[in-house]
Amino acid sequence: MGYYKKGDTPEPIVYYPSTADQSPSKVIPSLTMSAMINASGTTSAATALWGVSSYVDLMGAKKILYNGRFGNQGSRIAFYSNNGAAAFLSAYPQIDIVITNQEITVPDGALYARFSCYDPQSNNFYLLLKDENGDIIRYKM
């Protein structure tokens, strides 16, 4: 995956599949069901309605614009320095709360993130990634 910065010449964009509105800037992770992320960044088994995303390349993002209601209590974003569980840096939130529309600061050193949610809410969820200048990063495959 790569990204465009403001002023780059765009190439054709391949959109992530989803029932949500499609946009070249939206990141819509797919989910592996029956699992959730703990505050320690590890994955544990959960009921069939819980899901965990794969590792999402943050592409240099400094902020994540978290849009929609993605889950219920226990929803979590875990940050990693590479795409493996051993590279866990931190998780947000540290307590079980519902995550709704908000801007989240990417911790220093984080290159990847994973998300856990309660699946019935996932069809209205997407992320926008912002660079150090506050510009939206455009995803491409």
Side-chain angles (χ1 to χ4, degrees):
M1 294 185 153
Y3 63 93
Y4 297 120
K5 289 208 173 211
K6 196 172 186 176
D8 284 352
T9 303
E11 298 174 18
I13 302 286
V14 178
Y15 298 164
Y16 284 81
S18 171
T19 57
D21 177 38
Q22 297 294 313
S23 166
S25 299
K26 289 182 180 178
V27 181
I28 306 168
S30 61
L31 301 174
T32 300
M33 302 312 297
S34 300
M36 64 186 292
I37 297 173
N38 300 310
S40 63
T42 59
T43 304
S44 61
T47 64
L49 295 177
W50 281 92
V52 174
S53 75
S54 58
Y55 292 87
V56 174
D57 183 349
L58 296 176
M59 299 169 38
K62 300 300 180 191
K63 300 268 185 186
I64 296 173
L65 298 176
Y66 191 101
N67 295 276
R69 178 186 164 135
F70 191 38
N72 74 23
Q73 292 186 350
S75 298
R76 189 158 282 118
I77 304 169
F79 295 98
Y80 304 85
S81 60
N82 66 41
N83 61 349
F88 173 73
L89 296 172
S90 65
Y92 174 82
Q94 286 293 309
I95 59 172
D96 290 345
I97 60 172
V98 175
I99 302 174
T100 56
N101 300 344
Q102 59 190 282
E103 184 174 87
I104 298 159
T105 300
V106 174
D108 289 340
L111 301 177
Y112 291 86
R114 293 179 77 199
F115 305 85
S116 68
C117 75
Y118 191 71
D119 188 56
Q121 300 297 331
S122 66
N123 63 351
N124 67 357
F125 164 75
Y126 65 91
L127 306 168
L128 295 173
L129 304 178
K130 293 174 82 175
D131 66 17
E132 66 277 358
N133 298 316
D135 295 324
I136 301 294
I137 296 172
R138 294 175 51 110
Y139 249 69
K140 69 176 184 174
M141 295 179 87

